[in-house]
Amino acid sequence: MRKLLPTLIGAAIGLCSVTSANALSITVNGAGVYNTSVSGASTLDFTGAPACGGYSSCSTGDFAIVSGSDTGQYAAPAMPNQEDGGEFLTVPNASNSGEATFNFGTTANYFGMFWGSIDDYNTIKFFLSGGQVAIINGLDLNANNPNPVVNVDGQQSTLNDNRYVEFFFGNDLIDSVKLISTSNAFETDNHAFAKVPEPGTLALLGLGLAGLGAARRRQKA
């Protein structure tokens, strides 16, 4: 039994390392999901938020915390409590194009947000210590979204253009996001970030532990 235990543990760890590829996974939730489901995530809903929307720090003034809709400037995301006074983040601020960077103040491998009136001129970039980790355009959501339809044509009120989107980075870490819009506007709400285990790693570790249990039962028999 003393020889068997290290062998099984080593196999489980080996399997985990093989599947821990640094890859971005995107989840586009179905209609009616407005918040993260990740336990313990840091969240920002922007209503009554302090400077930088509650982020640790931010750069550029090309964003605003607003409520309701202003024709030609921004539109409230299609979610509860927006048109009646809830606040959200919009980029740019007034002009036709702009960008803004928001710093977490920590590292994470998960980021989620409600993406309002998804458009092809909306872009989000992820960074770690100033180096770009990933870049996602509104059109990329269709490639990662086999079930619920995402129209990506900027409709303000249809659920097919307003979805809660989640980004899982696995072993990669991020510490800031940059929101970019080349037209009016990139509207988002209910941001969330966290450091979460890799689902594949947890599953394989579970298989390794199950193997240990089976080996113990055989040894006793």
Side-chain angles (χ1 to χ4, degrees):
M1 187 62 180
R2 289 179 180 176
K3 293 182 179 179
L4 183 60
L5 277 171
T7 300
L8 286 172
I9 292 173
I13 293 174
L15 285 169
C16 292
S17 63
V18 169
T19 58
S20 296
N22 296 335
L24 170 61
S25 173
I26 303 175
T27 297
V28 181
N29 286 274
V33 177
Y34 305 107
N35 295 280
T36 184
S37 59
V38 172
S39 177
S42 298
T43 59
L44 300 91
D45 69 2
F46 302 109
T47 299
C52 293
Y55 277 102
S56 174
S57 61
C58 57
S59 61
T60 83
D62 293 334
F63 71 93
I65 309 298
V66 298
S67 62
S69 299
D70 187 352
T71 302
Q73 297 299 317
Y74 51 80
M79 59 186 297
N81 302 320
Q82 288 302 333
E83 287 291 359
D84 59 356
E87 293 179 292
F88 59 93
L89 177 69
T90 180
V91 177
N93 179 17
S95 60
N96 290 325
S97 63
E99 59 185 49
T101 301
F102 301 90
N103 303 303
F104 304 158
T106 186
T107 56
N109 62 354
Y110 163 82
F111 181 79
M113 68 177 184
F114 191 83
W115 194 332
S117 53
I118 301 167
D119 235 315
D120 59 2
Y121 53 74
N122 297 157
T123 301
I124 180 170
K125 294 183 178 181
F126 298 92
F127 295 89
L128 176 66
S129 300
Q132 184 173 298
V133 176
I135 176 172
I136 297 296
N137 178 268
L139 290 173
D140 294 324
L141 300 187
N142 281 329
N144 295 275
N145 183 40
N147 190 13
V149 174
V150 176
N151 289 337
V152 193
D153 56 11
Q155 294 297 318
Q156 302 169 10
S157 57
T158 65
L159 294 180
N160 286 343
D161 284 71
N162 293 261
R163 293 297 176 91
Y164 199 86
V165 184
E166 299 178 282
F167 305 88
F168 297 87
F169 288 85
N171 278 348
D172 283 339
L173 294 176
I174 56 173
D175 59 14
S176 61
V177 294
K178 177 184 285 187
L179 304 183
I180 304 168
S181 188
T182 57
S183 187
N184 293 107
F186 193 156
E187 301 98 340
T188 63
D189 203 355
N190 293 351
H191 290 197
F193 55 90
K195 190 176 289 185
V196 299
E198 279 193 277
T201 298
L202 289 178
L204 286 168
L205 184 57
L207 288 174
L209 293 175
L212 288 175
R216 285 173 177 160
R217 287 192 295 272
R218 287 197 299 271
Q219 183 70 15
K220 288 180 180 179

